[in-house]
Amino acid sequence: MDVHRLIAVSNREPYEHHREHGQLVCKRTDGGLTSALDPVLRRNGGTWIAWGSGPADREAVGADMSLEVPPESPTYRLRRVWLSQDEVQDGYRGYANQVLWPLCHITLDRITYLKAYWPAYRSVNLCFADAVLKELQRTPGPVWIHDFHLALLPALVKAAQPADPVFVFWHIPWPGPEVWHILPERREILRGLLAADRLIFQTHGHAEAFLQCAHDFLGAVVPATRDQVLYDGHDTRVIAHPISVDFQMFSEHARSEAVDRAKMDLRQRFGLRPGVRVGLGVDRLDYTKGLLKRLWALDTFFSQYSEYRGKFTFLQIAIPTRSELDAYQQYRDLIRETVEEINQRHVAQYAPATIESASWNPIELHEGRIGFDELVALYRMADLALVSSVYDGMNLVAKEYVSAQVGETGVLLISQMAGAAEELSGAIVINPYETERVAEAIKNALEMPRDERRRRMLRMRSYLSAHDVHAWVDRCLDETLTGTHR
Ligand code: F6P
């Protein structure tokens, strides 16, 4: 497989253009998908087709709707797809984010289903198909489609170009038939995906659930090897390969002077006195990340182990996401209110004796994006990182934390519902629903002997150095792959 001619396709683009004070400014976007794939295309070149979501995106492209990125040292092409307001509103915000997202994360009460959503979702997929087919005419190469926004795209591409290899990576969980059963368009989604040559999931559990759905809803043939689906005369390999991060890039950056400087700045900015231990959460402000449960666990921790008042602060970086949707606005407000209430209560009970200790806050909530130096500095300085997703395809923050932990002193606490928990054997696995146990796990992490922390972190670092994002790409696109769950 010629990875240098790869055509990657996703809804979210890696770089957006904005106009600021009359200048055209290029900014990185958020989310695990773009942070994982960008280093891959940076290294190998190729083309990335994605929705031009930035307000000044049209000003930055040439006649072929593309530009070279990353801006500081271009190595690959970004081709932008333009979506209409209805396609964005009903297709992306509606069907993708208010139907498929909560469905796949089994937060079924969050589903809002309107009739207009499905035609718009189809229309989004048709726009992408048009761009992919034009790209294939220009420079043929393997097509690699990403995520739940584009489930119909494999069939649309294959109908026009049956000989071109089409792969799909499904970044989020794939639940079982009992969940998909509530989706009226489940068969269309399955047919769309089954036109691909290879369908890759984060975990064996998700791959297995997909096979079950293909069998139950389409009557597709699933051989006993449980690694392929035969449907409508086509054979689709179905495998599990967990996505990863650029381990080396994080590790090297974590040792840089810029990160050392950022560490000092951050301690100052958050008013962290010397000796105050630090916990860290970095998440998009998404209800699947279990932020409320995390706050309840922190509340219990500070009540139960009150000796940690004034001695431990939890930094929560909350990156705004999908903020046009009510569910996300309400969740954000709830998080803000809860943090405020917890902080007030514990600060009052702490009864500070000195002016310095009065500056202590149990939880520091930072809403907004942070720069790369700061992110890596936070990963380096955090005594523990807490991932409490109620369901998560992978959770790359967990892998980034381990990659940046070059001092090998930190402890990772990860939800059993995040894909990464299956791989990161040195982590403390938590159940986000068990509030008191999570509080206890935080205490145990803070009191864990240095040797054990080191042993655990080394084990995970050694695993990730061999299973980084580049190894993941090689394995996903490996031509010799027979399709077993490897
Ligand atoms: O990883 C799941 C995912 O939906 C990606 O597809 C997406 O880029 C990311 O989360 C962020 O969400 P959005 O693109 O809706 O901002």
Side-chain angles (χ1 to χ4, degrees), residues 8-273:
V9 195
S10 72
N11 178 69
R12 180 60 64 200
E13 60 179 342
Y15 300 94
E16 275 181 354
H17 280 87
H18 297 249
R19 270 250 166 237
E20 283 177 5
H21 312 296
Q23 299 284 336
L24 202 53
V25 180
C26 184
K27 293 186 180 173
R28 293 183 69 148
T29 58
D30 306 308
L33 185 154
T34 54
S35 70
L37 278 187
D38 181 52
V40 170
L41 276 100
R42 277 177 187 238
R43 179 188 277 194
N44 302 321
T47 298
W48 188 334
I49 300 179
W51 165 41
S53 52
D57 273 3
R58 284 181 194 265
E59 298 175 45
V61 294
D64 64 351
M65 301 306 150
S66 76
L67 73 155
E68 299 286 325
V69 288
E72 62 279 10
S73 53
T75 49
Y76 69 91
R77 270 177 78 236
L78 169 60
R79 179 183 185 130
R80 287 174 170 155
V81 173
W82 311 114
L83 300 179
S84 71
Q85 273 197 4
D86 284 351
E87 284 160 348
V88 173
Q89 185 57 29
D90 293 337
Y92 163 64
R93 292 190 192 121
Y95 202 81
N97 286 343
Q98 294 188 78
V99 179
L100 288 178
W101 179 265
L103 180 114
C104 288
H105 289 87
I106 324 187
T107 48
L108 304 183
D109 282 349
R110 302 244 184 209
I111 293 177
T112 303
Y113 184 95
L114 296 184
K115 269 199 290 194
Y117 289 172
W118 173 248
Y121 181 83
R122 272 193 59 84
S123 179
V124 168
N125 277 255
L126 283 164
C127 288
F128 273 88
D130 184 55
V132 171
L133 294 173
K134 285 192 179 124
E135 196 54 45
L136 280 171
Q137 272 166 15
R138 183 184 179 272
T139 39
V143 177
W144 197 5
I145 299 166
H146 291 263
D147 233 353
F148 61 101
H149 312 86
L150 302 173
L152 306 179
L153 187 55
L156 295 169
V157 173
K158 278 290 192 180
Q161 296 287 118
D164 286 326
V166 172
F167 300 150
V168 172
F169 188 80
W170 192 265
H171 288 250
I172 64 174
W174 184 283
E178 67 287 1
V179 173
W180 281 99
H181 196 251
I182 64 172
L183 189 73
E185 298 81 17
R186 58 190 177 278
R187 291 188 185 83
E188 286 88 333
I189 298 273
L190 285 165
R191 281 192 203 106
L193 290 170
L194 282 172
D197 299 295
R198 191 176 294 172
L199 196 41
I200 311 156
F201 291 94
Q202 300 274 24
T203 70
H204 300 306
H206 302 158
E208 184 54 39
F210 177 84
L211 296 175
Q212 201 59 51
C213 287
H215 172 268
D216 290 6
F217 297 132
L218 296 180
V221 175
V222 179
T225 48
R226 311 289 297 169
D227 57 9
Q228 69 190 116
V229 177
L230 307 169
Y231 180 71
D232 203 18
H234 183 70
D235 171 2
T236 306
R237 298 286 164 171
V238 177
I239 54 178
H241 282 325
I243 196 170
S244 196
V245 297
D246 194 330
F247 176 85
Q248 206 184 334
M249 192 247 294
F250 275 97
S251 289
E252 278 171 11
H253 201 63
R255 294 191 173 95
S256 68
E257 279 175 25
V259 165
D260 280 341
R261 275 194 303 275
K263 268 168 61 183
M264 288 191 299
D265 292 350
L266 285 161
R267 284 200 84 94
Q268 229 169 24
R269 191 195 315 165
F270 288 115
L272 301 169
R273 282 176 298 112

